Amino acid sequence: MTGEDHQEPAVGQADADGAPEALASSGVPVRRGTDRDAVGATVPRWVAAPADTEGCAAVAAAASREGLALVPRGAGTKIGWGAPPRRCDAVVDLSALNRVDHAAGDLVVEAGSGTPMEDLASVLGASGQRLPVDPVVPGSTVGGVVATGLSGPGRMLYGPVRDLILGMTVVRADGVASSSGGRVVKNVAGYDLGKLHTGALGTLGIITSVTFRLRPVPPAARFVSARADSPARARELAASVLRSHTAPTAIEIDRPAGGAVTVHVLLEGPEDGIRARVEEVSALLPGASVSKDLPDGWGTLPSGPGDTLLKLTTPPSRLPDVLDAVAGAAPDAGPLPVRGSAGSGVLYGALPSATDPASAVRAVASLRARVEAATGGHGSLTVLDAPPAVHAAGLDPWGTVPGLPLMRSIKQNLDPDGVLSPGRFAGGI
């Protein structure tokens, strides 16, 4: 919590409906919610701040007895992502779950969900190791990255964040703590908690710790960048690098609103071998420049405060069609900025904050239809974040969701009373 949050008085007695007394029975500090604690447009009545998994379990058990809806929160950098919750009686502030247990010899780390990603990177870097997950949103915590399933450029080589998880501890809606996996590449029988809770936005449980596999920090890195005069040409350049033997870590494209497309290739490895790989990639990208420094915007989202943030997925071969679709989908907003992976086909775009809410809803529907048509039904568009006014105008963040009946069945099994982040995920889960 921030210093200002600490100035909020703790709640010491029950209000008319008895909710604070129920939470206070957990033995965890509880205070009144403020506008700064809002989840979307919903201000919680209470904020509970457990110090560990046991405290989280006590809060969840107390809330379950009273039917209180809980929303977990780390640093709050992505607290508005997904759909607005139907209700939020209390936020569970996980910022005190900030610990790192690093087994450097095993290339494994267990981190509390409230651990800032920057702090984790600093601890691992001291041993020449890293978690190959890009800090896409500055200030994110371990739990926030996992709960949103957010992966950056490195997912092309290392896979998405869920593939790096060896184990996880989660508190269920009834207050029972469950764990799976551990410091070996093997999970116990039953649910794979890592894959189940990654990207679930806290609707299935409260993540309290995550165990990851690690990688050594590469001795050297180079970025090779080149402009492309069209989306089709950008795809040709990216495909030529993928067909080569240069083993790139990432191939990103960046197209500012109305601007040209730039292709960026990241190469990592031993210093004595990277020079030849850089020369080969440079030969494939006419007019390329080479740098040791991160290109502007690398691994970040092309959105600002109040923008409607879009995630687009596409087979890499359909990349030009999707870029063309984005260019003409929102006539009221003009050309949209797009940034993301040409290698894995995960892109991000944004509708500017000045877009009228009704126009934003129409633009999302139009773009979703265009992406699905351009990819033959193999692509998708979801809205990661949007202002409350856009949601209120009738936004559908998800579109058609394959497997929704199975998702609802899992939700019913793990949270039968629907008290964990209710409504934030697809289909009102």
Side-chain angles (χ1 to χ4, degrees):
M1 292 186 289
T2 65
E4 184 173 335
D5 285 336
H6 281 298
Q7 296 171 12
E8 293 285 342
V11 177
Q13 61 182 13
D15 71 348
D17 64 8
E21 184 177 14
L23 292 177
S25 70
S26 68
V28 169
V30 179
R31 63 173 176 84
R32 296 186 186 277
T34 70
D35 290 345
R36 296 180 60 202
D37 301 305
V39 183
T42 303
V43 177
R45 288 185 292 163
W46 317 106
V47 176
D52 50 28
T53 296
E54 290 73 20
C56 288
V59 168
S64 177
R65 290 192 296 269
E66 299 294 330
L68 302 179
L70 302 178
V71 174
R73 181 187 71 193
T77 58
K78 298 176 288 298
I79 193 65
W81 284 31
R86 287 190 300 274
R87 60 191 182 102
C88 175
D89 296 308
V91 159
V92 184
D93 181 352
L94 302 172
S95 56
L97 278 70
N98 181 355
R99 65 178 181 82
V100 177
D101 183 5
H102 182 202
D106 297 327
L107 284 169
V108 168
V109 67
E110 181 183 2
S113 60
T115 306
M117 292 293 287
E118 289 88 347
D119 291 359
L120 178 60
S122 178
V123 172
L124 302 179
S127 298
Q129 297 177 8
R130 67 174 180 174
L131 174 64
V133 174
D134 305 280
V136 177
V137 177
S140 293
T141 60
V142 167
V145 167
V146 173
T148 57
L150 190 61
S151 301
R155 70 174 292 155
M156 192 188 92
L157 179 64
Y158 300 111
V161 62
R162 68 181 183 184
D163 290 350
L164 303 171
I165 295 174
L166 294 176
M168 181 180 289
T169 298
V170 177
V171 171
R172 298 186 334 207
D174 60 2
V176 174
S178 301
S179 298
S180 73
R183 295 193 173 189
V184 292
V185 189
K186 182 179 181 181
N187 271 299
V188 298
Y191 285 127
D192 181 340
L193 296 185
K195 289 183 170 57
L196 188 66
H197 289 272
T198 300
L201 297 176
T203 57
L204 301 178
I206 302 172
I207 300 169
T208 62
S209 71
V210 186
T211 302
F212 298 99
R213 74 180 83 229
L214 304 174
R215 299 276 185 167
V217 174
R222 298 290 187 278
F223 295 91
V224 184
S225 305
R227 290 286 186 93
D229 57 10
S230 69
R233 180 58 175 158
R235 172 57 192 159
E236 290 174 3
L237 297 178
S240 68
V241 177
L242 282 171
R243 289 193 299 266
S244 71
H245 298 289
T246 56
T249 297
I251 304 175
E252 294 282 291
I253 62 163
D254 188 4
R255 188 184 69 183
V261 184
T262 302
V263 177
H264 301 289
V265 179
L266 170 60
L267 300 169
E268 297 176 314
E271 186 71 55
D272 58 0
I274 204 168
R275 184 178 298 106
R277 294 164 62 206
V278 166
E279 291 176 354
E280 183 176 349
V281 171
S282 297
L284 296 170
L285 306 181
S289 62
V290 180
S291 176
K292 294 182 179 180
D293 301 322
L294 291 174
D296 290 341
W298 176 268
T300 63
L301 301 172
S303 62
D307 289 354
T308 296
L309 176 61
L310 313 174
K311 178 181 178 180
L312 308 99
T313 64
T314 176
S317 62
R318 300 294 183 91
L319 179 67
D321 303 308
V322 170
L323 290 177
D324 287 338
V326 172
D332 294 340
L336 306 184
V338 179
R339 184 180 296 150
S341 175
S344 62
V346 179
L347 310 173
Y348 300 95
L351 292 165
S353 59
T355 308
D356 174 78
S359 298
V361 171
R362 289 194 298 270
V364 167
S366 172
L367 180 52
R368 180 173 286 140
R370 287 169 177 253
V371 168
E372 291 174 355
T375 61
H378 297 291
S380 66
L381 179 147
T382 54
V383 179
L384 299 182
D385 191 17
V390 175
H391 281 289
L395 176 70
D396 175 7
W398 312 103
T400 301
V401 181
L404 187 55
L406 175 60
M407 295 180 188
R408 285 180 169 147
S409 176
I410 294 172
K411 173 70 170 179
Q412 177 63 28
N413 187 23
L414 296 179
D415 182 16
D417 296 323
V419 295
L420 292 177
S421 302
R424 290 189 74 189
F425 200 62
I429 292 174

